[in-house]
């Protein structure tokens, strides 16, 4: 039997935008892996009447309701009370849970338990209790009128702990299918172009399915299959991946890889090569993305942020003739920067970025959006010229950083470097 879930996040602070609803993303990913369809996300404030209205809507269209938040001890933590009223379930005090909460305050916080915490030990009659080893609010699950209701705490660390310890095993018993997704990562082709090539196929698919998602500076395709076992779902996805590879070619840089930086890291590691960076308009963004990867020191030697022209000359040894004749934003300078950082760090590869990110043209009148990516290798030096137009500064920087990684990964894969 296929199950359908609705997630209901409770908290006025979510509606006001004071905090982001990160719980919804974590829950959706977990439920998808369990084979549970998530069709609706709802956010409701700390208002019993509005929560009751949301529950009445949700119970008509989903057979699994998962709430987060509103399980605390304060006056506005009314999730349990409202849910029990909506489903006709009395609240029962659990003395053992009350003692656990009291002990938590005394041992961890070294203060007596406030009496209003007593309400946290009250749970729906006949429910499955989810203990909370990292907080004071236990969760629970019960079934009523063919609907499974799960209540989880709002703080993300508590929610995730309870999800993995209790909610996932509870839900796993309900579902006899699994949903497997694979992310096909692409760079160098816009979402509309990708859709144009694959639209007819995507429109016909039901299981498995294929959909495009535009990420900052790149496009992700998600292929999803539902089957009784993971192995069966993966077998269904295999021909889909091959068809997408055939249609898109080398704009695909990986499957189930985090981003271009992770792709480059893996390939450098596999080939035993090292990389260094020389950046101007990106201000160290390429280095930041590379060093955010655990184990980056195995492949990344270091970098130079040569924002001033004099730094390009003094540290990277870009010749004054190049700077005077062509300027700091030029193909010649990008090549010299890449060669310079490769030489001074001893890296196998040196990648450089120089350009005009705006909001104004550079001192020589180079228009905003003009960027050059240089790549120095043991055999030769390349340059990819780019024109992003008058985009936002951060957008130009993000695109430039992605192109820097794309140049590196294409060289590592034996593909053309200077043009996409």
């Amino acid at each position: 039997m296929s199950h359908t879930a609705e997630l209901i996040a409770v908290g006025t602070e979510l509606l006001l935008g004071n905090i982001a609803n990160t719980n919804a993303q974590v829950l959706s990913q977990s439920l998808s892996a369990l084979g549970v369809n998530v069709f609706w996300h709802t956010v409701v404030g700390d208002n019993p009447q509005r929560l009751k209205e949301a529950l009445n809507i949700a119970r008509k269209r989903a057979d699994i309701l998962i709430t987060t938040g509103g399980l605390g001890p304060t006056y506005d933590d009314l999730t349990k009370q409202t849910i029990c009223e909506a489903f006709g379930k009395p609240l029962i005090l659990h003395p053992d849970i009350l003692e656990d909460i009291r002990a938590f305050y005394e041992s961890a916080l070294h203060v007596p338990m406030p009496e209003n915490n007593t309400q946290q030990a009250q749970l729906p009659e006949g429910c499955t209790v989810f203990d909370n080893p990292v907080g004071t609010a236990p969760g629970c699950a019960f079934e009523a009128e063919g609907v499974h209701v799960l209540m989880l705490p709002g703080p993300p660390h508590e929610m995730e702990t309870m999800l993995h310890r209790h909610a996932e095993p509870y839900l796993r018993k309900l579902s006899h299918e699994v949903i497997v997704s694979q992310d096909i990562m692409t760079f160098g082709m816009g979402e509309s172009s990708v859709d144009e090539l694959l639209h007819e196929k995507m429109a016909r698919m039901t299981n498995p399915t294929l959909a495009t998602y535009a990420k900052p500076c790149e496009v992700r395709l998600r292929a999803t299959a539902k089957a009784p076992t993971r192995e069966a779902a993966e077998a269904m996805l295999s021909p889909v991946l091959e068809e997408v590879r055939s249609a898109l070619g080398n704009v695909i840089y990986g499957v189930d890889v985090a981003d271009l930086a992770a792709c480059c890291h893996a390939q450098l590691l596999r080939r035993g090569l090292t990389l260094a960076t020389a950046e101007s308009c990106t201000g160290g963004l390429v280095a930041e993305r590379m060093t955010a990867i655990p184990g980056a020191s195995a492949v990344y030697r270091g970098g130079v942020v040569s924002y001033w022209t004099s730094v390009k000359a003094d540290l990277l040894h870009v010749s004054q003739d190049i700077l005077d004749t062509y300027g700091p934003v030029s193909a010649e300078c990008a090549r010299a920067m890449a060669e310079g950082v490769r030489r001074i760090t001893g890296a196998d590869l040196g990648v450089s970025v120089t350009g005009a990110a705006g909001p104004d043209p550079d001192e020589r009148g180079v228009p905003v959006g003009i960027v050059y990516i240089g790549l120095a290798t043991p055999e030769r030096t390349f340059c990819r010229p780019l024109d992003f137009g008058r985009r936002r500064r951060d957008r130009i920087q993000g695109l430039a950083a992605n192109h820097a990684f794309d140049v590196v990964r294409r060289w590592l894969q034996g593909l053309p470097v200077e043009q996409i």
Side-chain angles (χ1 to χ4, degrees):
M1 175 184 175
S2 182
H3 291 277
T4 300
E6 178 158 352
L7 310 183
I8 303 177
V10 181
T12 302
E13 67 276 13
L14 296 171
L15 290 175
L16 295 176
N18 294 336
I19 62 172
N21 185 16
T22 57
N23 285 339
Q25 180 183 19
V26 173
L27 281 166
S28 287
Q29 291 171 341
S30 172
L31 291 169
S32 176
L34 291 169
V36 177
N37 301 305
V38 180
F39 290 159
W40 301 278
H41 285 195
T42 298
V43 180
V44 62
D46 298 304
N47 181 285
Q49 183 57 39
R50 287 194 285 273
L51 175 55
K52 189 179 296 185
E53 292 170 1
L55 290 166
N56 287 334
I57 294 170
R59 68 198 296 183
K60 295 174 184 176
R61 61 189 185 186
D63 61 348
I64 296 175
L65 307 185
I66 302 180
T67 67
T68 54
L71 302 183
T74 59
Y75 73 94
D76 57 349
D77 289 312
L78 299 172
T79 296
K80 276 186 301 187
Q81 294 88 327
T82 306
I83 289 175
C84 285
E85 183 179 342
F87 284 90
K89 286 275 189 180
L91 280 167
I92 305 298
L93 179 67
H94 290 243
D96 55 331
I97 295 176
L98 182 59
E99 287 308 307
D100 288 342
I101 297 173
R102 200 183 303 277
F104 178 86
Y105 268 89
E106 292 174 356
S107 62
L109 305 178
H110 308 294
V111 295
M113 184 197 80
E115 284 309 309
N116 60 357
N117 282 84
T118 300
Q119 74 177 35
Q120 292 184 298
Q122 296 176 332
L123 296 169
E125 184 179 43
C127 71
T128 299
V129 178
F130 297 163
D131 73 277
N132 186 349
V134 293
T136 61
C140 64
F142 66 83
E143 182 182 6
E145 303 169 20
V147 177
H148 291 269
V149 180
L150 288 76
M151 290 179 258
L152 306 178
H157 178 53
E158 295 183 35
M159 193 286 297
E160 289 190 48
T161 300
M162 192 174 294
L163 170 67
H164 299 317
R165 283 171 59 98
H166 297 292
E168 287 178 344
Y170 180 95
L171 293 167
R172 197 171 287 116
K173 295 176 183 178
L174 305 181
S175 180
H176 301 292
E177 294 180 300
V178 297
I179 298 175
V180 175
S181 294
Q182 292 186 305
D183 287 338
I184 306 165
M185 308 300 291
T186 76
F187 180 75
M189 186 179 290
E191 185 180 21
S192 58
S193 299
V194 171
D195 181 79
E196 186 176 5
L197 285 172
L198 296 170
H199 178 79
E200 186 176 342
K201 175 177 178 57
M202 291 190 293
R204 293 196 312 266
M205 297 173 69
T206 55
N207 184 30
T209 61
L210 185 65
T212 60
Y213 300 88
K215 295 183 66 181
C217 311
E218 59 186 55
V219 177
R220 177 186 69 186
L221 292 105
R222 171 161 286 185
T224 303
K226 178 182 284 190
T229 66
R230 182 175 187 86
E231 291 74 17
E234 289 175 345
M236 293 167 65
L237 290 175
S238 181
V240 177
L241 298 184
E242 288 307 312
E243 287 185 54
V244 173
R245 286 193 179 99
S246 176
L248 300 185
N250 59 33
V251 300
I252 297 174
Y253 67 80
V255 176
D256 290 334
V257 62
D259 53 27
L260 276 162
C263 173
C264 289
H265 175 269
Q267 292 187 38
L268 288 164
L269 197 62
R270 187 159 48 247
R271 294 187 55 174
L273 299 175
T274 57
L275 175 71
T277 56
E279 302 179 65
S280 183
C281 65
T282 45
L285 183 58
V286 180
E288 178 188 1
R289 290 185 181 176
M290 179 57 78
T291 55
I293 301 170
S297 59
V299 301
Y300 183 66
R301 284 288 184 102
V304 175
V305 179
S306 53
Y307 218 63
W308 278 28
T309 301
S310 59
V311 178
K312 293 178 176 66
D314 296 340
L315 287 184
L316 296 174
H317 309 296
V318 179
S319 73
Q320 197 61 46
D321 182 56
I322 286 176
L323 295 171
D324 290 341
T325 305
Y326 303 102
V329 180
S330 63
E332 290 76 10
C333 183
R335 290 190 182 95
M337 289 170 62
E339 292 168 353
V341 79
R342 178 174 179 265
R343 184 167 54 251
I344 64 175
T345 62
D348 297 297
L349 306 176
V351 67
S352 67
V353 185
T354 183
D360 302 310
D362 81 343
E363 64 270 17
R364 295 171 68 102
V366 175
V368 173
I370 297 297
V371 173
Y372 296 92
I373 310 294
L375 177 68
T377 75
E379 294 82 22
R380 58 171 290 197
T381 302
F382 304 86
C383 180
R384 178 185 290 181
L386 300 161
D387 185 352
F388 299 131
R390 289 195 63 89
R391 300 171 187 252
R392 286 198 329 259
R393 180 179 176 84
D394 61 333
R395 178 74 166 166
I396 291 172
Q397 291 172 321
L399 282 166
N402 268 18
H403 274 276
F405 285 118
D406 187 59
V407 162
V408 173
R409 76 98 182 173
R410 281 174 173 269
W411 184 84
L412 289 168
Q413 293 177 344
L415 300 170
V417 168
E418 295 179 315
Q419 301 292 332
I420 294 178

